[in-house]
Amino acid sequence: MKITEEIKVGTLNVACDGGKGHLGHPTVYLNLEDKGEVVCPYCSKKYIFDKSQADHAAH
């Protein structure tokens, strides 16, 4: 699987819809708790947990 994009997030749960409006894919909810990262099975975007973004969002 070829990773199309890496996105750092400050949460362990993300929703991915492909990001292309009506040309995207069905919304899927992905959990990063096991490895701190997850790849969307539809569009191959890789979401990576970034603690610094989580800390920033909490303030």
Side-chain angles (χ1 to χ4, degrees):
M1 176 183 312
K2 182 180 177 191
I3 303 301
T4 58
E5 182 178 359
E6 289 188 353
I7 303 168
K8 292 183 179 180
V9 295
T11 181
L12 292 173
N13 296 293
V14 296
C16 184
D17 65 2
K20 297 179 182 175
H22 69 282
L23 297 176
H25 60 68
T27 301
V28 291
Y29 298 91
L30 307 168
N31 185 301
L32 289 78
E33 288 183 25
D34 289 338
K35 298 180 181 178
E37 60 185 45
V38 67
V39 176
C40 176
Y42 284 98
C43 65
S44 300
K45 288 183 182 179
K46 183 176 186 178
Y47 293 90
I48 303 168
F49 178 69
D50 181 350
K51 186 172 178 357
S52 68
Q53 289 190 19
D55 292 342
H56 181 70
H59 298 299

